[in-house]
Amino acid sequence: AQSVTQLDSQVPVFEEAPVELRCNYSSSVSVYLFWYVQYPNQGLQLLLKYLSGSTLVESINGFEAEFNKSQTSFHLRKPSVHISDTAEYFCAVTNIGAGSYQLTFGKGTKLSVIP
Amino acid sequence: GAGVSQTPSNKVTEKGKYVELRCDPISGHTALYWYRQSLGQGPEFLIYFQGTGAADDSGLPNDRFFAVRPEGSVSTLKIQRTERGDSAVYLCASSSAPGQGELFFGEGSRLTVL
């Protein structure tokens, strides 16, 4: 069984400031890692994913996450946030080779960008 | 429509009643998932369909919960003898490539059991 821990339930940050949303996971097997985002009144959307290859992955709107196997982490970062980044962010994991590829999600981090 | 559609968006029912929640996935997506999200929690896996069959129902909490997908498209989640603890947002997601992790989620059905 795997689990995901998002240490911060809420993160307020001023516009144009940097932000890091933390995610740690636990699994006895190799995993794929994901960040999903939920904007107000919308469904969950995939933000970025790590499957293999480079441990640094990027999204189209400036977020990046780095897979750190030794620390079992997949923290999400952005150097300068915008008001439009206000949303709830969920880290998720799935076991490689798991038949159903079911995702295990963390509890989420609410990012509030302050003008 | 272009996205995953879930109906109803809100459902209020009384304890002990029967409830059906519907999911219309993206056309052509063979994989369909149901998740449940309680207040302050992340989504929790309930069941996975590949085509018409339930390939993994290990997340269903008990035998009051059942889901079908008879024609490999629309799915219905059925909850019998509802309890107050069933109150949550029920999310449906579909995918053409579940191994890549990209699930397309609907906006959810909020169930409130009084």
Side-chain angles (χ1 to χ4, degrees), chain A:
Chain A
Q2 64 263 38
S3 65
V4 176
T5 301
Q6 292 182 247
L7 294 169
D8 304 303
S9 59
Q10 297 189 53
V11 173
V13 61
F14 286 103
E15 192 175 13
E16 298 183 4
V19 70
E20 178 180 79
L21 307 183
R22 294 178 292 170
C23 172
N24 288 88
Y25 70 92
S26 172
S27 177
S28 57
V29 299
S30 297
V31 297
Y32 293 149
L33 293 153
F34 310 89
W35 277 98
Y36 276 78
V37 59
Q38 187 169 27
Y39 298 104
N41 301 315
Q42 295 186 28
L44 284 160
Q45 304 172 31
L46 180 66
L47 182 63
L48 47 74
K49 61 185 178 183
Y50 171 77
L51 303 182
S52 64
S54 173
T55 57
L56 184 66
V57 292
E58 298 178 351
S59 72
I60 58 173
N61 60 348
F63 282 93
E64 65 178 30
E66 186 160 20
F67 169 50
N68 187 318
K69 188 174 182 179
S70 63
Q71 297 189 5
T72 60
S73 68
F74 191 55
H75 302 329
L76 183 69
R77 302 183 184 94
K78 188 170 185 180
S80 175
V81 295
H82 302 289
I83 296 291
S84 59
D85 294 325
T86 294
E88 189 159 18
Y89 294 79
F90 292 90
C91 182
V93 63
T94 189
N95 288 343
I96 294 174
S100 67
Y101 297 104
Q102 59 168 281
L103 296 175
T104 298
F105 286 87
K107 292 184 177 183
T109 298
K110 290 183 180 177
L111 174 64
S112 299
V113 180
I114 305 163

Side-chain angles (χ1 to χ4, degrees), chain B residues 20-77:
Chain B
E20 288 190 353
L21 307 176
R22 175 189 167 104
C23 173
D24 199 342
I26 292 172
S27 178
H29 281 190
T30 57
L32 185 145
Y33 296 79
W34 284 98
Y35 284 80
R36 177 169 72 172
Q37 187 173 14
S38 301
L39 195 61
Q41 304 294 317
E44 295 177 301
F45 169 77
L46 295 177
I47 188 169
Y48 161 63
F49 287 90
Q50 181 58 252
T52 60
D56 183 353
D57 65 359
S58 62
L60 294 178
N62 51 59
D63 61 6
R64 295 187 298 106
F65 289 75
F66 188 71
V68 296
R69 194 186 186 198
E71 298 178 359
S73 179
V74 171
S75 176
T76 304
L77 179 66

Side-chain angles (χ1 to χ4, degrees), chain B residues 6 21 35-36 46 65 77 79 86 88-91 108-109 111:
Chain B
Q6 292 188 247
L21 307 176
Y35 284 80
R36 177 169 72 172
L46 295 177
F65 289 75
L77 179 66
I79 311 173
D86 298 335
V89 177
Y90 290 82
L91 301 171
S109 292
L111 175 65

